[in-house]
Amino acid sequence: MFEFGRDLRRLFDGPQADQDLGWLEVVDVDVLRGEARRQTIDAGRATCPRPVQAWLLASALWREHTRRSGAADSLQHARLTALDARKAARTNDERAEAVMALAETMVLSFDLYGGPESLGRALSLTDGLKDHATRPALKARLTALHARIKARQARLSEGDSLEAMAFLDQAVHELSRRPGPLLDALKLDRAALTLMFGIQQRDARLLDQAGRELRDLVETCPSDRRPLTRARALALCGAGLSALATLADNDEAVEQGRALFDAACDQFTADHSPMDWAAVTLARSAALPGAACLTGDGGPSAIPAALIKSRTVLGLALADTVVEAGVMQAETQGDLLALDRLAARLRSRLAMDAPRPLAWSVDQIGLARIALARARLLDKPAGPVRLVLIEAASAAREEGADLIADRADHLLRQVRD
């Protein structure tokens, strides 16, 4: 990992800043926040020689910090610095880059909080933008951004999966001669989409295609330079193999999936990228019941608490794991009073979360867990729990939060007719 000092300064100030930001993966998340602040201050100076590029770099640093920390204020900084870049732009290419930065912030907002309207706004910004760009590299980046938006829309009910795959294939082809984090992100998006369709359709050809792409990413992203991309690819491999193991009831494949998740956990520490830690933890526990991501020394408890407070999709899913653990403990002890206290806490939160579909879904899942536990303890019907869970899953999927919808579906499968 990088330390403070001249070497770090040269990385932020050098030509890499305008090109490949993949090296940011080895920078600690707290160092990254400090450098994003420094870059924002530098970009705002009257003496800044290249204000547009300075604002764009600041926006990129804030986006990366948001992606790894889930900090809402960093997402706002990313948006504001992109707007500053657009104000400072003088040429068509500069304006196109600034608008792309703003659209990328909206895509990141969808990844963090869900909400198809964020993707709609990002798509409206990028439509027609290629006509104003002159540099081939910039046009390729626009194609990539458009493809990443389409890939996310494909997960929504109105999305077109075939169209999304076509956009991803085109974008990967256009960027194939420009290796870097953007090409890797596209390949991850394509592999995830291909894997999802392969599992849904039980199509061996699609599964093999996704596996080849993920293996290629693991091989080309060494842990000393691209630990996070490598971990994301390993975790996706683990999730795919575990899903196939469940379908085939194959214990050997389960163990292989466990090994892949363990390898993903070994690539970085929880405090280096809290959001990646949460993503691997949740994917591992969903694929391997009873499993948890190894974070060393039991993992710092401040990290899940901070992520839960962020109210991102990952944070809300972590909140549900806390409720699940509390319900299991209360049921094991036969403590109906503890279940009542949990239910009262969720109902009071539900009153505040009602306008937010994802938070509402998580609260409903928690209340369903409590109702099922009470029903088992008292040997009585649990009430309309199936309907509650179906509604919760539907609301989450409409927002593009498959992680939360899958948790509702998993609990639904445990409900007796």
Side-chain angles (χ1 to χ4, degrees), residues 141-367:
R141 283 178 55 199
L142 278 167
T143 301
L145 178 56
H146 201 194
R148 298 196 72 204
I149 295 170
K150 289 292 185 180
R152 284 153 178 75
Q153 288 182 327
R155 303 206 309 259
L156 303 172
S157 57
E158 69 272 13
D160 188 329
S161 57
L162 293 178
E163 181 187 44
M165 289 301 298
F167 272 105
L168 285 168
D169 288 341
Q170 180 187 355
V172 169
H173 175 73
E174 289 190 19
L175 281 171
S176 58
R177 295 182 180 179
R178 299 182 176 89
L182 181 55
L183 179 59
D184 292 341
L186 282 169
K187 288 181 176 180
L188 276 173
D189 282 344
R190 186 170 67 174
L193 208 56
T194 305
L195 189 63
M196 182 179 73
F197 295 148
I199 292 173
Q200 288 176 351
Q201 301 169 17
R202 302 197 179 192
D203 188 322
R205 182 185 60 84
L206 290 176
L207 294 170
D208 183 60
Q209 178 185 334
R212 285 198 310 271
E213 189 140 67
L214 290 171
R215 283 194 297 272
D216 179 64
L217 279 171
V218 171
E219 291 172 2
T220 57
C221 295
S223 56
D224 60 334
R225 290 190 289 116
R226 301 291 299 283
L228 300 181
T229 298
R230 183 182 175 90
R232 290 162 189 162
L234 285 167
L236 199 52
C237 284
L241 190 58
S242 298
L244 290 174
T246 301
L247 291 174
D249 194 21
N250 188 314
D251 293 337
E252 183 180 352
V254 169
E255 289 306 313
Q256 291 175 347
R258 188 186 303 274
L260 286 167
F261 278 119
D262 289 344
C265 294
D266 290 339
Q267 303 304 307
F268 64 97
T269 59
D271 56 349
H272 184 72
S273 182
M275 293 288 280
D276 281 290
W277 170 82
V280 176
T281 296
L282 290 166
R284 192 175 189 270
S285 62
L288 308 169
C293 187
L294 303 176
T295 56
D297 298 327
S301 59
I303 289 176
L307 290 175
I308 290 171
K309 190 177 179 180
S310 73
R311 308 296 275 168
T312 59
V313 172
L314 283 170
L316 289 170
L318 281 174
D320 183 53
T321 65
V322 173
V323 172
E324 181 181 20
V327 171
M328 289 177 62
Q329 181 180 4
E331 184 178 1
T332 301
Q333 298 172 352
D335 192 343
L336 290 172
L337 186 58
L339 290 176
D340 289 341
R341 284 196 296 266
L342 273 173
R345 191 185 312 155
L346 285 178
R347 288 193 185 98
S348 64
R349 198 170 72 184
L350 190 60
M352 296 182 290
D353 287 341
R356 299 187 58 211
L358 290 182
W360 177 87
S361 294
V362 170
D363 292 339
Q364 294 289 2
I365 294 170
L367 289 171

Side-chain angles (χ1 to χ4, degrees), residues 91-122:
T91 67
N92 285 340
D93 281 345
E94 287 179 344
R95 293 187 188 93
E97 283 191 278
V99 171
M100 281 176 57
L102 192 59
E104 286 168 350
T105 303
M106 294 174 182
V107 173
L108 180 56
S109 177
F110 171 81
D111 290 342
L112 291 174
Y113 300 103
E117 63 279 356
S118 295
L119 295 179
R121 288 197 296 267

